[in-house]
């Protein structure tokens, strides 16, 4: 009897897991399979199924430039996010714990600002700044912010948008270690502040840093609204732009991007695990 | 409570330790005063324990030596040189922390070698020295393990090896045993004391555990509310506490009702007079006071006309702890040789005897249980 009562919840939970995983799988996979079918022409009586859309990825004009721009912007955004957040979060931990709530609110605030509103706001500010700075020495700086080859204004906007994600992942990483004790231990071992940061703190935040970088790359590569409103053409804007004339190519690029993102995610997770030592036996 | 049986003191000549001195250290955190003019000095090669209740300022004092806290006033002197403003990484002190502070991403050997790496010691020399130190702390085969693969006691041993790696002038121990279980704690404290004596390193040890302090230290400094109450050898601290606080904090202390004579020099307790050691806190000269007596200083004898009743007895091996209720209602404890205690049945009327030496007194408290 005891055996029966013990096994029932187990079966129930297994069934529940199977059902929920199946539903989630269908929810995610069906649209992807439909997209895949569309890109290769399955189900379209007017064309023969082929991988032409995927082959065209490497030959279509504009893809390399837009993807390259997105990756450069992503790199700059990651640098700026780390440059802003790491000192702030470490200062909160080491010297100003009372500021934690303020930093948390500031970092999470962009979540409640829609990307369209942010883009519209930046457009308005740039227009206003152009009128005011037209004849001043500040105008070249304003122009440099909007240089199409490397639009710094997008880096600033992406940094704002990435703050909530970056804050959450870095905080999780910092929560997993006792930063104060590690810093003091390193200092008592004659390490300068610089060496303490680069030889002790950052290596122990490795996984959090990788996760933050990955999420920032994903955000920048997929971001459309702000870039489009400001008139730049990184990867997401190019994908939408090409969809009018090359619908299959546009979807194929999106699918390839998604798979690439998953591969990066797997690589990040694997590298994080491979460095983690096993627990005490 | 027994004092150390681990090693002779003071430390032998030829030690490598430095002198360490606190001069008028003050530090406040908002409205809280953590240190209120601390003056203290450590001799070369000495192990001094800072003992006191939570919040008494002992950790703050230690962190000032490490360079992690800056005093509002006062100075820290290392070998006579003022290091108050010297950054932590240039102080030449080693520290073992309360929580496990090993760098999780480095193996035990790399943790030990970390300080040498900071100092630019060649890799081969670092490796050899780390291995030597791991052998010294009893972990010769654990160099390749990561902190998460080590037990708490092993982690603290590695932390100790890391702190010793650069041959610091002063070793700081911030309650390094408090997170360990009793058995490991006992063996590690013997290990720490052995190493400290072997290396002759001046050591400041913060603890709230009186047994730890008394068993390990050459001298114990008892702190209260940011001030030094008494600094003395464990024996002196236990046998001749300077203040009622020290008497109550170190070991078990009975509070017997007494009456202070008009001259303030003698006190009447248990029907007999005794000279007073020190003076009454607060400056009052006569009247009701508490007389502070250690359980082992009381003698107990069966007496049908005695003024106390034996209510409980606990066998502790060589001694037996008797719980005795005075006719006034107070309960006191007496530690007597077990052979004599067996002749006293529970419920017997007893007579208490006091030692001949001067006694410490304190303000009277209206307590039923005084021990």
């Amino acid at each position: 009897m005891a055996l029966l009562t013990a096994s029932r919840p187990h079966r129930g939970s297994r069934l529940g897991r199977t059902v929920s995983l199946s539903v989630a799988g269908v929810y995610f996979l069906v649209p992807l399979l439909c997209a895949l079918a569309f890109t290769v022409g399955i189900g379209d009586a007017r064309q023969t199924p082929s991988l032409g859309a995927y082959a065209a990825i490497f030959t279509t004009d504009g893809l390399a430039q837009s993807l390259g721009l997105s990756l450069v912007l992503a790199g700059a955004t990651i640098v700026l996010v780390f440059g802003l957040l790491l000192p702030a979060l470490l200062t909160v931990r080491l010297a100003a714990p009372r500021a934690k709530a303020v930093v948390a609110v500031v970092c999470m605030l962009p979540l409640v600002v829609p990307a369209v509103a942010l883009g519209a706001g930046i457009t308005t500010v740039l227009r206003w700044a152009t009128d005011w700075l037209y004849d001043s020495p500040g105008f070249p700086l304003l122009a440099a912010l909007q240089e199409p080859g490397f639009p710094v204004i997008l880096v600033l906007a992406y940094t704002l948008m990435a703050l909530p994600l970056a804050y959450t992942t870095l905080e999780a990483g910092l929560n997993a270690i006792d930063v104060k004790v590690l810093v003091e231990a390193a200092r008592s071992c004659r390490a300068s502040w610089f060496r303490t940061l680069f030889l002790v703190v950052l290596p122990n935040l490795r996984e959090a840093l990788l996760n933050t970088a990955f999420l920032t790359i994903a955000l920048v590569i997929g971001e459309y609204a702000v870039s489009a409103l400001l008139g730049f053409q990184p990867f997401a804007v190019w994908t939408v732009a090409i969809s009018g004339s090359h619908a299959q190519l546009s979807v194929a690029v999106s699918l390839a991007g998604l798979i690439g993102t998953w591969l990066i995610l797997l690589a990040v997770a694997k590298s994080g695990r491979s460095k983690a030592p096993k627990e005490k036996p | 409570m027994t004092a150390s049986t681990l090693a002779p003191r003071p430390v032998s000549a030829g030690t490598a330790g430095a002198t360490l001195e606190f001069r008028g250290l003050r530090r406040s955190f908002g409205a809280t005063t953590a240190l209120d003019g601390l003056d203290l000095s450590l001799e070369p090669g000495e192990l001094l324990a800072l003992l006191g209740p939570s919040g008494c300022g002992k950790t703050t004092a230690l962190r000032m030596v490490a360079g992690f806290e800056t005093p509002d006033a006062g100075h820290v002197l290392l070998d006579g040189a003022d290091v108050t403003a010297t950054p932590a990484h240039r102080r030449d002190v080693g520290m073992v922390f309360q929580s496990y502070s090993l760098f999780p991403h480095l193996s035990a050997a790399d943790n030990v070698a970390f300080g040498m790496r900071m100092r630019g010691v060649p890799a081969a020399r670092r490796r050899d020295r780390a291995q030597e130190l791991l052998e010294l702390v009893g972990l010769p085969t654990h160099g390749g393990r990561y902190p998460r693969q080590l037990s708490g006691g092993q982690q603290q041993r590695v932390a100790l090896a890391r702190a010793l790696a650069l041959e610091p002038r002063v070793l700081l121990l911030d309650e390094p045993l408090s997170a360990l279980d009793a058995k490991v704690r006992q063996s590690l404290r013997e290990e720490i004391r052995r190493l400290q004596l072997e290396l002759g390193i001046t050591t400041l040890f913060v603890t709230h555990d009186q047994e730890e302090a008394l068993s390990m230290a050459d001298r114990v400094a008892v702190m209260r509310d940011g001030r030094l109450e008494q600094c003395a050898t464990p024996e002196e601290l236990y046998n001749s506490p300077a203040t009622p606080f020290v008497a109550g904090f170190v070991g078990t202390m009975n509070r017997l009702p007494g009456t202070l004579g008009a001259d303030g020099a003698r006190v009447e307790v248990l029907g007999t007079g005794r000279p007073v050691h020190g003076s009454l806190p607060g400056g009052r000269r006569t009247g009701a006071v508490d007389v502070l007596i250690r359980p082992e200083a009381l003698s107990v004898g069966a007496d049908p006309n005695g003024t106390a009743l034996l209510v409980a007895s606990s066998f502790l091996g060589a001694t037996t702890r008797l719980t005795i209720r005075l006719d006034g209602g107070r309960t006191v404890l007496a530690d007597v040789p077990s052979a004599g205690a067996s002749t006293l049945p529970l419920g017997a009327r007893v007579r208490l005897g006091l030692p001949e030496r001067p006694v410490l007194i304190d303000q009277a408290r209206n307590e039923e249980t005084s021990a």
Side-chain angles (χ1 to χ4, degrees), chain A residues 161-198:
Chain A
M161 295 165 78
L163 271 185
L165 294 170
Y167 172 77
T168 310
T169 48
L170 288 177
E171 263 293 291
L174 287 166
N175 283 338
I177 57 173
D178 191 337
V179 180
K180 191 167 184 181
V181 167
L182 289 183
V183 166
E184 289 180 351
R187 299 278 290 153
S188 73
C189 287
R190 321 284 196 274
S192 63
W193 278 111
F194 181 81
R195 286 179 150 194
T196 298
L197 181 67
F198 283 92

Side-chain angles (χ1 to χ4, degrees), chain A residues 184 190 199 204 278 280, chain B residues 63 89 92 105 148-149:
Chain A
E184 289 180 351
R190 321 284 196 274
L199 296 179
N204 283 296
K278 286 176 186 162
K280 184 169 89 73
Chain B
R63 289 173 61 79
H89 69 290
D92 204 11
H105 65 298
R148 278 201 274 177
Q149 297 168 311

Side-chain angles (χ1 to χ4, degrees), chain B residues 86-247:
Chain B
T86 307
H89 69 290
R90 294 199 182 131
R91 288 213 176 184
D92 204 11
V93 297
M95 185 160 172
V96 180
F97 296 80
Q98 180 178 3
S99 52
Y100 308 135
S101 60
L102 297 184
F103 307 129
H105 65 298
L106 298 180
S107 66
D110 287 342
N111 263 280
V112 175
F114 184 84
M116 291 182 273
R117 188 177 160 198
M118 294 302 99
R119 203 175 251 184
V121 176
R125 173 78 191 111
R126 287 204 305 258
R127 241 187 343 264
D128 293 347
R129 177 82 178 130
Q131 184 56 34
E132 276 172 28
L133 284 158
L134 285 170
E135 282 168 16
L136 192 69
V137 297
L139 298 172
T141 59
H142 292 65
R145 296 201 188 173
Y146 284 86
R148 278 201 274 177
Q149 297 168 311
L150 300 170
S151 68
Q154 288 170 337
Q155 286 193 49
Q156 288 302 63
R157 282 168 192 265
V158 175
L160 182 62
R162 183 179 66 182
L164 294 172
L166 286 174
E167 297 169 3
R169 286 191 288 171
V170 171
L171 179 64
L172 305 173
L173 306 172
D174 185 10
E175 305 204 34
L177 310 176
S178 62
L180 307 175
D181 63 57
K183 199 174 173 187
V184 178
R185 199 159 59 224
Q186 173 68 31
S187 76
L188 196 51
R189 77 184 183 202
E190 289 175 9
E191 191 83 355
I192 288 173
R193 181 56 167 157
R194 177 185 66 78
L195 283 172
Q196 188 267 334
L197 285 168
E198 201 173 306
L199 302 172
I201 186 169
T202 308
T203 303
L204 183 63
F205 178 40
V206 160
T207 180
H208 62 266
D209 183 330
Q210 50 171 298
E211 192 182 326
E212 225 166 73
L214 298 191
S215 66
M216 290 175 72
D218 295 313
R219 285 189 301 152
V220 179
V222 180
M223 291 183 66
R224 179 195 193 190
D225 297 335
R227 293 178 180 212
L228 188 64
E229 287 275 319
Q230 185 178 7
C231 183
T233 63
E235 293 85 353
E236 190 183 346
L237 205 67
Y238 188 78
N239 294 322
S240 307
T243 66
F245 175 81
V246 175

Side-chain angles (χ1 to χ4, degrees), chain B:
Chain B
M1 181 63 53
T2 56
S4 172
T5 54
L6 283 173
R9 46 174 92 88
V11 177
S12 59
T15 54
T19 58
L20 174 64
E21 198 177 337
F22 299 101
R23 277 195 198 156
L25 284 185
R26 289 180 191 280
R27 180 73 164 103
S28 296
F29 298 99
T32 308
T33 302
L35 284 180
D36 191 8
L38 178 67
D39 290 300
L40 189 64
S41 60
L42 280 78
E43 295 301 315
E46 181 182 32
L47 192 157
L48 186 139
L50 279 179
L51 176 68
S54 296
C56 71
K58 53 191 190 297
T59 296
T60 305
L62 177 130
R63 289 173 61 79
M64 282 181 179
V65 182
F68 301 142
E69 293 284 351
T70 309
D72 298 331
H75 301 275
V76 177
L77 283 81
L78 200 53
D79 262 344
D82 191 341
V83 294
T84 317
T86 307
H89 69 290
R90 294 199 182 131
R91 288 213 176 184
D92 204 11
V93 297
M95 185 160 172
V96 180
F97 296 80
Q98 180 178 3
S99 52
Y100 308 135
S101 60
L102 297 184
F103 307 129
H105 65 298
L106 298 180
S107 66
D110 287 342
N111 263 280
V112 175
F114 184 84
M116 291 182 273
R117 188 177 160 198
M118 294 302 99
R119 203 175 251 184
V121 176
R125 173 78 191 111
R126 287 204 305 258
R127 241 187 343 264
D128 293 347
R129 177 82 178 130
Q131 184 56 34
E132 276 172 28
L133 284 158
L134 285 170
E135 282 168 16
L136 192 69
V137 297
L139 298 172
T141 59
H142 292 65
R145 296 201 188 173
Y146 284 86
R148 278 201 274 177
Q149 297 168 311
L150 300 170
S151 68
Q154 288 170 337
Q155 286 193 49
Q156 288 302 63
R157 282 168 192 265
V158 175
L160 182 62
R162 183 179 66 182
L164 294 172
L166 286 174
E167 297 169 3
R169 286 191 288 171
V170 171
L171 179 64
L172 305 173
L173 306 172
D174 185 10
E175 305 204 34
L177 310 176
S178 62
L180 307 175
D181 63 57
K183 199 174 173 187
V184 178
R185 199 159 59 224
Q186 173 68 31
S187 76
L188 196 51
R189 77 184 183 202
E190 289 175 9
E191 191 83 355
I192 288 173
R193 181 56 167 157
R194 177 185 66 78
L195 283 172
Q196 188 267 334
L197 285 168
E198 201 173 306
L199 302 172
I201 186 169
T202 308
T203 303
L204 183 63
F205 178 40
V206 160
T207 180
H208 62 266
D209 183 330
Q210 50 171 298
E211 192 182 326
E212 225 166 73
L214 298 191
S215 66
M216 290 175 72
D218 295 313
R219 285 189 301 152
V220 179
V222 180
M223 291 183 66
R224 179 195 193 190
D225 297 335
R227 293 178 180 212
L228 188 64
E229 287 275 319
Q230 185 178 7
C231 183
T233 63
E235 293 85 353
E236 190 183 346
L237 205 67
Y238 188 78
N239 294 322
S240 307
T243 66
F245 175 81
V246 175
F249 192 78
V250 179
T252 306
M253 189 63 87
N254 288 306
R255 300 179 79 93
L256 300 175
T259 307
L260 188 60
D263 59 356
R266 286 186 73 79
V267 65
E268 193 73 16
V269 56
L270 296 175
T272 179
R274 285 288 180 276
V276 170
H277 170 64
S279 59
L280 191 66
R284 191 162 50 80
R285 306 286 300 173
T286 59
V289 292
D290 280 349
V291 178
L292 308 178
I293 305 285
R294 297 275 182 210
E296 64 272 21
L298 283 172
S299 60
V300 183
D303 182 353
N305 300 317
T307 56
L309 189 69
L310 178 61
V311 293
S313 165
S314 304
F315 178 71
L316 302 175
T319 62
T320 294
R321 173 158 287 187
L322 305 176
T323 306
I324 295 160
R325 185 173 304 136
L326 304 181
D327 283 352
R330 283 204 188 187
T331 301
V332 296
L333 302 174
D335 290 344
V336 298
S338 292
S342 60
T343 62
L344 297 170
L346 289 184
R349 300 296 298 182
V350 294
R351 170 184 33 80
L352 294 177
L354 291 173
E356 284 298 328
R357 61 176 179 264
V359 292
L360 198 66
I361 57 172
D362 192 15
Q363 304 282 7
R365 290 186 199 163
N366 292 321
E367 292 172 347
E368 290 204 344
T369 302
S370 58

Side-chain angles (χ1 to χ4, degrees), chain A residues 172-273:
Chain A
L174 287 166
N175 283 338
I177 57 173
D178 191 337
V179 180
K180 191 167 184 181
V181 167
L182 289 183
V183 166
E184 289 180 351
R187 299 278 290 153
S188 73
C189 287
R190 321 284 196 274
S192 63
W193 278 111
F194 181 81
R195 286 179 150 194
T196 298
L197 181 67
F198 283 92
L199 296 179
V200 174
V201 178
L202 295 186
N204 283 296
L205 288 176
R206 188 169 172 272
E207 204 168 336
L209 294 171
L210 283 172
N211 284 335
T212 305
F214 164 73
L215 288 171
T216 307
I217 290 172
L219 183 143
V220 171
I221 287 181
E223 201 287 323
Y224 173 80
V226 174
S227 317
L229 279 170
L230 294 178
F232 300 107
Q233 198 173 63
F235 180 67
V237 178
W238 178 86
T239 308
V240 173
I242 204 78
S243 64
S245 53
H246 301 82
Q248 281 180 313
L249 172 63
S250 168
V251 177
V253 165
S254 300
L255 267 181
L258 195 60
I259 290 166
T261 306
W262 283 349
L263 290 176
I264 295 173
L265 179 63
L266 284 175
V268 168
K270 190 169 183 305
S271 72
R273 269 202 304 273

